[in-house]
Amino acid sequence: MLESLKKMFSGNEGDMPVSTGSKPDISREKSAELYEKAKNYFPGGVNSPVRAFKSVYGTPLFIQKGDGCFVWDADGNQFIDFCGSWGPLILGHNHPKVRDKVTEVMQNGMSFGAPTALENELAELIIKNNKFVEKIRFTSSGTEAVMSAIRLARGYTGKDKIIKFEGCYHGHTDSLLVKAGSGLVTFGETSSAGVPKSFAAETIVIPLNDREAIKAAFDQFKDQVAAVIIEGIPANNGLLMQDVEYIKYLENICKENKALLIFDEVITGFRLGFEGAAAHYGVKPDIVTYGKIIGGGLPVGMYGASAEIMGHISPDGGVYQAGTLSGNPVAMAAGIAQLTELLRSGFYKELNNKASEFAESIQRFATARNYKLKVFHVGSIFWMAFTDKDKIQSADDIDPASMEKFKVLHRELLNRGIYIGPSGYEVGFVSAAHTKIELEKAKRAILESLDVVFRNK
Ligand SMILES: *Cc1c(COP(=O)(O)O)cnc(C)c1O
């Protein structure tokens, strides 16, 4: 090995694996059996589409248990998990503090449909430590939080149209299941059957990272736009990091046009830091939505804003929004336990350092081997993209053909005990439960797998 190469890997010989070739497939017998059964009960055998492994090899794995950074499937295979239930599990699986609090609270009953002190407790944890929200409302999912935030923006401004960005996901509410048509500024075309064209006509879809497009949208629909909605850092279609100047531009153009800026922080909230992407950029969105991490693995969403804006929500105001299980005590308990851990001093610093070291060491290897791979990362979120572009900031920058490489990577990783989301458009998450030892193991597995991916490059 070249001396200079060795140095790149901080003197650690273990960083340079020898190519071991494809590994034999792990057994998926039990998972396959369960999947066959599930197909009788659920469309595609699943209760959320991406779980069906449609864009990767083989049947989906049925997970039996999780602990720390590990999950085990029905066949007894063990994996280091970087999916983390798609984001919520920032402390890892089955964290004792979360489990204990939930177990304690559930002894007193599961749901009352009446206020409980636990709602106050979680709200206080959030509002005291977050300068972007003065009043909040809990929901049971991220989708619900976003749907309600949109209604609030419309009710507050008295305007109907919404601007969204191609490449941002905001849950499955009708008016946001839209994609761009052709042209710079377009009405959305529905991206799902069953969404009326007339709903999509209220949503304007524009590319990310494009000042002309948003300017043109505001010009064309003068005084009709209630809100601009953007993911704090778009992380549902690759990791599309935006320049802070651009986000500030959005903030200003919203103000000029008396439209609200909605930050959908369902992934980034409590992930990049306790105050999410808004603090990361130093901008002040008018409405913020949270989900995923806030519920510690149980179903919780939330939207919040200034007391003045939130005053428009019923029963104080005229914007109706409700939920039988909203503020559910067991879910609140999980949220309280998890967020309490996140507030410990140094939590994010340690996690984010660990994650960036991990991402950067994979990048160094890929660069040294001349592999066309970029590991984009922010906080404890990472995304491996098969590209040689230095920046990927809009949906159009992603080459769909590169997903063939991801397919190979995914299979090789599973066969080496690494579980990541079953789609090349999905990001990965490092949790506090990933120790340096496991990250080192995972890194080796990733490097070996990359050797297989690029074997015939
Ligand atoms: C996951 C997600 C949603 C939807 O949340 P659900 O809890 O799945 O309904 C909305 N917005 C963003 C940014 C998300 O990542």
Side-chain angles (χ1 to χ4, degrees):
M1 194 195 301
L2 284 172
E3 255 340 281
S4 59
L5 263 186
K6 250 193 216 168
K7 270 206 201 95
M8 290 182 70
F9 294 94
S10 43
N12 182 354
E13 297 252 358
D15 281 347
M16 288 297 267
V18 263
S19 182
T20 51
S22 278
K23 284 254 182 190
D25 284 330
I26 50 168
S27 163
R28 300 195 199 188
E29 224 170 283
K30 292 254 165 56
S31 280
E33 225 172 84
L34 289 164
Y35 185 49
E36 282 312 306
K37 237 188 198 175
K39 282 198 276 190
N40 297 322
Y41 308 137
F42 315 115
V46 291
N47 284 297
S48 198
V50 71
R51 297 178 195 171
F53 271 42
K54 285 288 181 211
S55 48
V56 292
Y57 164 80
T59 39
L61 302 183
F62 278 61
I63 303 300
Q64 199 143 45
K65 69 170 185 178
D67 197 56
C69 69
F70 298 107
V71 289
W72 288 263
D73 70 8
D75 290 279
N77 300 305
Q78 178 182 337
F79 304 91
I80 301 175
D81 177 29
F82 290 99
C83 179
S85 187
W86 300 99
L89 303 183
I90 192 169
L91 300 176
H93 294 269
N94 203 13
H95 190 276
K97 289 264 171 63
V98 179
R99 185 182 60 223
D100 289 352
K101 182 83 182 169
V102 165
T103 315
E104 175 202 318
V105 165
M106 67 198 284
Q107 307 307 314
N108 294 324
M110 306 288 178
S111 180
F112 310 107
T116 64
L118 291 157
E119 289 151 83
N120 287 355
E121 206 180 313
L122 183 55
E124 216 168 275
L125 268 178
I126 295 164
I127 292 168
K128 273 199 178 147
N129 296 289
N130 181 318
K131 58 184 164 297
F132 302 105
V133 292
E134 288 175 352
K135 277 199 177 177
I136 66 179
R137 172 66 59 85
F138 289 121
T139 63
S140 299
S141 71
T143 295
E144 254 186 286
V146 170
M147 180 185 81
S148 313
I150 298 266
R151 187 180 303 139
L152 172 58
R154 286 174 166 153
Y156 179 79
T157 59
K159 298 187 272 189
D160 286 343
K161 294 212 186 309
I162 299 291
I163 296 178
K164 96 171 266 291
F165 297 90
E166 187 75 355
C168 283
Y169 175 71
H170 301 290
H172 60 91
T173 188
D174 279 339
S175 62
L176 293 171
L177 284 182
V178 290
K179 57 181 187 227
S182 52
L184 185 62
V185 175
T186 55
F187 287 123
E189 287 174 17
T190 64
S191 60
S192 161
V195 176
K197 279 204 178 69
S198 57
F199 286 25
E202 300 299 344
T203 306
I204 302 149
V205 185
I206 58 171
L208 282 159
N209 189 38
D210 184 337
R211 294 184 190 205
E212 287 313 306
I214 185 133
K215 210 169 154 303
F218 272 117
D219 284 346
Q220 196 172 329
F221 301 101
K222 199 147 186 53
D223 301 325
Q224 297 173 58
V225 177
V228 171
I229 182 164
I230 187 167
E231 280 185 67
I233 291 179
N236 275 287
N237 186 76
L239 185 60
L240 307 175
M241 282 189 283
Q242 305 298 297
D243 299 329
V244 63
E245 295 77 20
Y246 174 69
I247 302 295
K248 293 204 160 144
Y249 180 81
L250 289 184
E251 189 183 26
N252 284 330
I253 201 164
C254 283
K255 272 207 189 85
E256 280 166 28
N257 289 279
K258 297 193 168 55
L260 302 187
L261 178 62
I262 303 175
F263 253 40
D264 179 0
E265 299 232 35
V266 172
I267 278 194
T268 47
F270 309 104
R271 171 59 69 176
L272 296 185
F274 200 85
E275 295 177 292
H280 174 84
Y281 291 123
V283 299
K284 194 179 177 317
D286 299 291
I287 306 178
V288 193
T289 60
Y290 297 115
K292 300 195 169 110
I293 289 176
I294 195 177
L298 289 183
V300 182
M302 183 211 107
Y303 61 102
S306 65
E308 193 244 334
I309 293 179
M310 288 304 281
H312 289 253
I313 294 293
S314 58
D316 280 352
V319 177
Y320 187 74
Q321 188 267 315
T324 302
L325 293 174
S326 295
N328 173 272
V330 183
M332 293 292 105
I336 292 164
Q338 177 145 285
L339 296 202
T340 302
E341 291 303 299
L342 306 188
L343 283 168
R344 291 157 81 102
S345 110
F347 175 86
Y348 286 103
K349 196 162 174 236
E350 190 182 324
L351 174 63
N352 295 350
N353 282 343
K354 200 160 64 173
S356 67
E357 228 171 79
F358 174 66
E360 280 160 20
S361 66
I362 297 166
Q363 182 68 72
R364 276 199 301 274
F365 169 87
T367 309
R369 289 271 226 266
N370 241 339
Y371 291 162
K372 213 170 122 178
L373 177 94
K374 285 281 150 61
V375 189
F376 297 101
H377 64 97
V378 61
S380 48
I381 309 175
F382 66 95
W383 179 50
M384 293 185 278
F386 293 97
T387 181
D388 46 15
K389 293 179 187 165
D390 286 327
K391 284 184 172 184
I392 294 201
Q393 297 187 297
S394 76
D396 274 353
D397 292 341
I398 303 175
D399 173 15
S402 68
M403 296 304 156
E404 284 308 308
K405 286 203 166 55
F406 178 81
K407 242 172 144 163
V408 180
L409 176 71
H410 188 263
R411 180 178 188 166
E412 292 297 326
L413 286 179
L414 283 184
N415 293 341
R416 288 173 171 80
I418 308 298
Y419 189 91
I420 58 173
S423 155
Y425 291 93
E426 301 290 350
V427 296
F429 302 96
V430 176
S431 79
H434 288 88
T435 67
K436 292 216 165 154
I437 294 171
E438 270 94 36
L439 287 175
E440 186 63 34
K441 278 190 198 154
K443 188 175 77 186
R444 286 189 66 88
I446 292 170
L447 303 187
E448 284 179 19
S449 302
L450 287 173
D451 281 337
V452 178
V453 172
F454 287 101
R455 200 165 34 184
N456 302 313
K457 77 180 159 119

